[in-house]
Each structure stands twice: as C-alpha cells, then as structure tokens.
Amino acid sequence: MLPKPHFIGLSFFLLLISSHMSVVHCATNYPFPGNNGQTGLWDMPNARVMPDWNAQLNFSYQDPYRIWSGTVGLFDRFEFNGRLNEITSLEPGFTGQKTFRDKAVDFKFLLFKERDWLPATALGFTDITGTGLFSSRYLAFSKRIKYLDLTLGVGQGILAGEIPSGDAEDFHFSNPLNQDTRVFGGLEFHITDDLSFVGEYSSYDYEDLKGGKEAKWPVNFGFKYRFAEYFLASLSYQKGEEFSFGLGVTFPFDPELLVPWKKRPFYNTPE
C-alpha cells in the first residue's frame, strides 16, 4: 500500500500544476510514459519521444518501487528524463531517510523518424551517472499500423539481466560487443485518442534488480488514460502477481512566454 502522505502530496502537486495551466497551450496525443517516466511501454522502452519543447511530471508505483520523474522533449529528437527511485524493500541508505533512494538520469535520441513502412528508431541510455543500479542501453524500433503501435528492441545492462557493477560510466563506455544482449517487445493499442491498452514482454530479471523479487511471468499489461487534456493515469498488472499504477501531468512550454524568441524549425532545407 502507498502511504497516505504520498497520496496527499501527489494530489497537492497535481493541483498546483493545474492552477498554472492558463499560461500554456495544450497539445494532446503526447506519447504515454513508462514506469520510469521515459516514453515507453511499462518497464520496456519504445522508439517514441516527447514532442519538441514539452514536458511531463510523473509518479509511478510498482512494489517495491516508487518513482518520481520529470521528462523534457527537444527538437522532436531528444528526450531527457530525471528520476528519484525509492525502494521500500530496503533499509535507508543514509541517516534521516525513511526509504532507500537512488537518483538516475536517462537519455533517448530518435535516430530515424517513422516513414511509410520504415519504423521509428531510437537509441537510449538509462541511469547514465552515479551508482548505475538501473543502467541500460538499447536500440528500439516502433511502427504504427492504424490503431496499433508495435515495438521491438534489443537491450543491454538490466535489459539483459545484468546489474552493472561499479559506476554507471564504466558500463556506458564499455564495448557493446562484450555485453550480453536480449530482445524485448510490446504493443500499444489505441482504443481512443486518450485511452490505450499496453502490453509488453519484459527482458528484466526482476529478482536481480536492486531490492527486487522474482516475477511469476515476464509479461506486463494494462491501460493508460489521458483526461482533462493535461493529466495521465495508468493501471497495470505486472510480473503476473501485482497491480501497479501511475499518475502524471503533461504541459507544453510556449517559447514566447519563457524567453524572447520564436521557435523555428531545427533545420531548414536549402532551396
């Protein structure tokens, strides 16, 4: 059970954000976030990124993990994600903490946009600094076919059942040819513009994750819903044994309201 103070704090946080929505203009159909805040399925990533100059704040809970995250998209190519992971199954790491906490930074780059029969292709890195408890790197492919968005990818690090030892930099600068690699995949079925069914095959070894426990089966599925234009909610059944949920808010920045310049195309083709 999520402690009551977290519900109160999260509700206040969402109310505070909504009170400032008059200064931005909504652009719906954002890609939904995964459990760690990055655009993705549940635990597995996909090749989608946040639109240019847009952001999300998210909270997700999957026993024993509570994840608070913030994500920003730039140029329709780059996605940056910062998160605080709380692991309730472990003793606090420092005096004064109530739970074990670990910070992480994630990065995704859209190599190729989706075109005709070619899928979107993204290269991503998770937990790129610090302890590297949740470090991974991956190449993901996503293809939209009418209402169905299909994803297939290959990953290393925790995506291949390995927990990198030492600093995160040691893993991310290591030779990819010397690392184990696994395949992951999933789908997102768009029931409506605001409601999706999402399912995935997870390549994690959950029992080897920090504070984790063995999963009954490697399939996660559930629903993601966008309401009141800005807000997100998700409910899923994960690891074959537990329900998980997430809440979030999306908001675009209008460049003219923040700094005195107008947003222009990232690249103009010469005439």
Side-chain angles (χ1 to χ4, degrees):
M1 292 292 292
L2 187 65
K4 186 176 180 181
H6 284 81
F7 282 112
I8 297 174
L10 189 61
S11 298
F12 175 77
F13 158 74
L14 294 177
L15 181 61
L16 180 64
I17 292 298
S18 65
S19 67
H20 293 279
M21 285 301 168
S22 59
V23 301
V24 296
H25 306 285
C26 179
T28 57
N29 290 329
Y30 290 106
F32 285 111
N35 289 335
N36 70 356
Q38 264 196 316
T39 298
L41 300 169
W42 295 111
D43 285 328
M44 301 295 104
N46 59 19
R48 305 305 181 191
V49 295
M50 287 286 295
D52 180 32
W53 208 238
N54 287 266
Q56 288 180 339
L57 295 176
N58 298 289
F59 169 80
S60 67
Y61 179 72
Q62 319 90 44
D63 186 41
Y65 305 105
R66 293 194 294 252
I67 302 175
W68 308 81
S69 61
T71 312
V72 176
L74 292 174
F75 306 125
D76 295 328
R77 290 280 187 180
F78 301 94
E79 184 175 281
F80 301 90
N81 183 61
R83 53 190 163 104
L84 174 66
N85 308 305
E86 295 184 305
I87 308 177
T88 60
S89 60
L90 298 179
E91 293 296 323
F94 298 96
T95 303
Q97 292 184 349
K98 294 183 178 180
T99 58
F100 184 93
R101 296 177 179 176
D102 180 73
K103 293 177 289 185
V105 176
D106 313 311
F107 171 72
K108 184 192 292 190
F109 174 58
L110 182 62
L111 296 172
F112 303 106
K113 293 186 178 182
E114 184 174 358
R115 296 180 57 188
D116 298 326
W117 294 100
L118 298 178
T121 305
L123 180 66
F125 306 87
T126 67
D127 202 355
I128 59 177
T129 63
T131 60
L133 296 178
F134 299 97
S135 290
S136 71
R137 55 191 175 199
Y138 59 86
L139 187 65
F141 307 89
S142 294
K143 185 73 182 79
R144 178 77 178 261
I145 304 174
K146 292 187 176 181
Y147 303 108
L148 192 62
D149 196 14
L150 301 173
T151 291
L152 185 66
V154 292
Q156 297 181 338
I158 64 172
L159 286 171
E162 291 191 352
I163 306 301
S165 58
D167 293 337
E169 291 83 355
D170 293 339
F171 166 74
H172 286 293
F173 285 101
S174 64
N175 187 346
L177 299 179
N178 295 332
Q179 299 289 337
D180 290 339
T181 303
R182 285 185 183 176
V183 175
F184 61 85
L187 59 86
E188 179 176 351
F189 181 75
H190 297 269
I191 302 172
T192 69
D193 287 342
D194 297 320
L195 176 65
S196 291
F197 172 82
V198 181
E200 69 176 11
Y201 167 75
S202 174
S203 59
Y204 281 173
D205 283 343
Y206 286 98
E207 67 275 16
D208 292 332
L209 296 179
K210 187 72 172 181
K213 56 184 178 181
E214 187 174 2
K216 291 185 178 180
W217 58 325
V219 176
N220 304 318
F221 61 89
F223 294 91
K224 298 182 180 182
Y225 181 59
R226 179 183 296 105
F227 60 97
E229 295 187 310
Y230 304 101
F231 299 98
L232 306 172
S234 66
L235 179 65
S236 59
Y237 189 65
Q238 302 201 9
K239 296 178 284 188
E241 59 184 353
E242 64 188 30
F243 285 95
S244 302
F245 73 92
L247 294 171
V249 60
T250 62
F251 51 100
F253 296 109
D254 188 333
E256 295 180 8
L257 294 177
L258 298 178
V259 289
W261 60 275
K262 293 185 178 181
K263 185 171 67 174
R264 301 182 183 278
F266 179 56
Y267 173 77
N268 289 320
T269 304
E271 297 181 357

